[in-house]
Structures are given as structure tokens and as C-alpha cells.
Amino acid sequence: MKITVCGKGGCGKSTVSALLAKEFERMGKTVLVADSDESNYGLHRQLGVKLPRDFTEFFGGKEKAFKTMMAGEILDTVKLSAFAKKFYSEPFTLNEIPEEYISRNNGVMLISSGKIHQANEGCACTMNSILKQFIKHLTVGDNEVALLDMEAGVEHFGRGVDNSVDLILMIVDPSFESLKLTKKIQQLGESIGKPVFFVLNKVNELVLPTMLESIDDQSKVLAVISTDTEIARKGLLGDELMMEIPEIHTLARKILKQ
Ligand SMILES: Nc1ncnc2c1ncn2[C@@H]1O[C@H](COP(=O)(O)OP(=O)(O)O)[C@@H](O)[C@H]1O
Ligand SMILES: [Mg+2]
């Protein structure tokens, strides 16, 4: 199953992705987490692994990949490995991803489309376009799950990344922007024929009724996660998320039933 995890900045996309990845692993799945947020550096720490090498480097780095994409050409195939050529045109499996771009923690693999490391080095479009190709051609088996921790907002819909996933999971935090975004993401998902489900995050009893009202079909709410001091503490320190949360346990099972 291939899943995008999306929502506004700071709503908890990376936190839920990391907790879900570890839950799927406990269920015996092999899990690929793809970090597609070029500006945040928290996800690898939440998963307890080192920051993976930018996957964009596999395609000759941002500048080269960008020029090739702007020219509408397949990347310079002479200099690319067999996998890099295949990646643009044919299905591939998790086992075929080059090991030097993966950070592993037992059954959880993390890859990163790339980060902005220096001023003036170029926009994130190249990295995200590579991710789109990656998701399109990635095939996952019954015992595998791919979780895409997206950049904030809805640009990934515009780029077409979500066209190739099985399910869109929107994380909703208690803010006006998030509640507004639920409608937009529902509509964007419907327009491409993809199911959209919601996780209400950082919830307390005061905000829950208003959050629920913002979702037209409440059967689409797969989990309600409270504001949790242990999650907040680990988020502050950049620590690995080792805890088992009952709502995440249920969420993982509900996702696999869709
Ligand atoms: N349920 C929660 N309870 C407490 N803090 C949370 C919860 N979910 C996320 N956070 C905190 O909120 C901050 C933003 O979360 P993060 O997952 O990085 O958001 P995003 O990836 O959407 O930008 C982090 O400091 C994280 O620890
Ligand atoms: Mg994040």
C-alpha cells in the first residue's frame, strides 16, 4: 500500500508517519518512509536513523536533474546506473532502491528526496519531481507499506504525486487553517479518484467538537490523537519515537483494511 501523509506545517505529519511506520513494522510489514519535506530535519530523528543521502544525488544532483527535466528529456542515460534508467520508465521494488540512499532501523527504511543545504542552490521542484517518478514506478507487495511524509500544503497534488498512491491521509491539527484545508484536500482527492482519510491530532476535549464538524463525512476520521506530553517532549529534543500509542495501533489496522 502506498500512502501520502499530508496537511499544513506543524500539524504532525512527520510524527504520525514515524509512529505509523513503527506500528506497521510491529505488524510484520517492511516499511519505506519517503521524506519529501526539503526544509525539516526531524523525521529521521523520530525514526531513530541518520539523515539519508539526498536521493536527487542519484540523478546527478539538483542542477543536472533540473536541467534535464526542463528539457523534457530522460536523464543522461549513458552515465546512469541501470536502476536510474529503469526508475524513469518501469516498475521497481523496494529491494532495488540503492542501499547508499537508505537509512534503516530494522524493518523501517527511510529515503529522502533531498534537502536545501545552501542558499541559492535552487528550488525544491527537482527533488519533488523525482519523488513523483519514484512513487509512480514503485511497486509494493502485500507485506510492504510506503509512507510519503509530504511537504506542507497542497503543492504535491498540483505536481501529481498523489495520482500514484492508494490512500491520502490528512493530519488535522486544531487550527483554522487546518480545518479549511480538510475541504480542499477532500476535494483534491476526489478529483483524482483517491480516498482521503483524516487523523485529528493534538486534540483535547475543548477543540474536538469543532474539529469533527469540519469533516463532512465523519466515517473518514480514522483516528483522534490527543496532545501528548511524551510526544511533545521527544519532538522538542529530536528523540526517536519509541512509544506504542493505542490510537496509532488502531489506525494502522484501519488503513490496511481500506
Ligand atoms: N499528538 C501530539 N501531541 C503533542 N505534540 C505533538 C503531537 N503531534 C505532533 N506534536 C509536535 O508538534 C510538532 C510538529 O510536529 P511534526 O510532526 O514535525 O509536524 P509536521 O511534520 O506536520 O510539520 C513537533 O514538535 C511534534 O513533537
Ligand atoms: Mg514534517
Side-chain angles (χ1 to χ4, degrees):
M1 189 174 230
K2 296 192 271 189
I3 302 161
T4 36
V5 180
C6 63
K8 74 173 253 298
C11 64
K13 297 177 292 297
S14 299
T15 302
V16 173
S17 298
L19 290 168
L20 263 180
K22 286 174 177 284
E23 187 62 43
F24 284 132
E25 186 199 23
R26 282 192 286 276
M27 294 169 78
K29 307 280 178 197
T30 299
V31 188
L32 174 76
V33 183
D35 182 359
S36 106
D37 187 336
E38 72 284 349
S39 56
N40 283 331
Y41 287 84
L43 179 62
H44 67 287
R45 300 192 60 129
Q46 291 173 314
L47 289 169
V49 297
K50 67 175 176 39
L51 184 69
R53 203 169 149 192
D54 289 1
F55 198 55
T56 315
E57 284 178 28
F58 187 53
F59 298 89
K62 285 187 197 87
E63 202 178 336
K64 184 178 173 198
F66 182 68
K67 281 185 190 148
T68 315
M69 275 174 201
M70 293 309 277
E73 293 163 9
I74 298 295
L75 291 162
D76 181 358
T77 51
V78 181
K79 295 195 185 106
L80 290 175
S81 67
F83 174 67
K85 286 179 221 171
K86 186 175 168 174
F87 173 90
Y88 265 80
S89 51
E90 294 169 39
F92 64 89
T93 65
L94 289 186
N95 294 334
E96 292 177 84
I97 302 170
E99 194 59 39
E100 61 268 35
Y101 294 93
I102 302 172
S103 289
R104 283 181 194 274
N105 189 348
N106 299 311
V108 178
M109 310 154 64
L110 174 68
I111 63 158
S112 169
S113 52
K115 301 287 174 193
I116 299 292
H117 299 283
Q118 286 160 14
N120 300 314
E121 69 168 279
C123 67
C125 299
T126 314
M127 299 182 281
N128 292 327
S129 299
I130 284 177
L131 182 80
K132 177 183 169 181
Q133 294 300 325
F134 181 87
I135 296 308
K136 183 174 170 191
H137 293 113
L138 172 69
T139 51
V140 289
D142 289 344
N143 221 25
E144 296 169 340
V145 179
L147 283 168
L148 316 180
D149 180 17
M150 303 308 296
E151 83 274 7
V154 292
E155 196 183 346
H156 50 98
F157 281 101
R159 191 174 289 113
V161 178
D162 300 80
N163 294 345
S164 313
V165 301
D166 302 298
L167 188 148
I168 295 161
L169 196 63
M170 180 187 172
I171 315 301
V172 186
D173 71 359
S175 67
F176 180 74
E177 291 85 352
S178 254
L179 303 193
K180 278 283 193 209
L181 201 57
T182 58
K183 307 264 185 284
K184 185 73 197 166
I185 288 186
Q186 179 76 58
Q187 184 195 8
L188 288 166
E190 275 167 15
S191 71
I192 54 171
K194 300 293 173 186
V196 177
F197 292 95
F198 301 94
V199 170
L200 309 186
N201 189 31
K202 305 191 193 184
V203 176
N204 62 46
E205 57 190 31
L206 279 179
V207 296
L208 180 59
T210 312
M211 291 178 81
L212 283 171
E213 272 169 29
S214 78
I215 315 279
D216 294 332
D217 177 357
Q218 294 188 4
S219 69
K220 304 286 183 198
V221 177
L222 297 189
V224 175
I225 303 172
S226 302
T227 302
D228 182 299
T229 46
E230 190 57 11
I231 294 180
R233 197 181 68 80
K234 290 193 180 281
L236 181 65
L237 300 174
D239 284 350
E240 184 177 358
L241 297 177
M242 310 275 275
M243 64 284 241
E244 292 184 33
I245 296 182
E247 290 79 8
I248 295 285
H249 178 93
T250 312
L251 173 64
R253 281 148 187 86
K254 283 186 183 170
I255 288 173
L256 293 183
K257 277 193 198 138
Q258 301 303 323

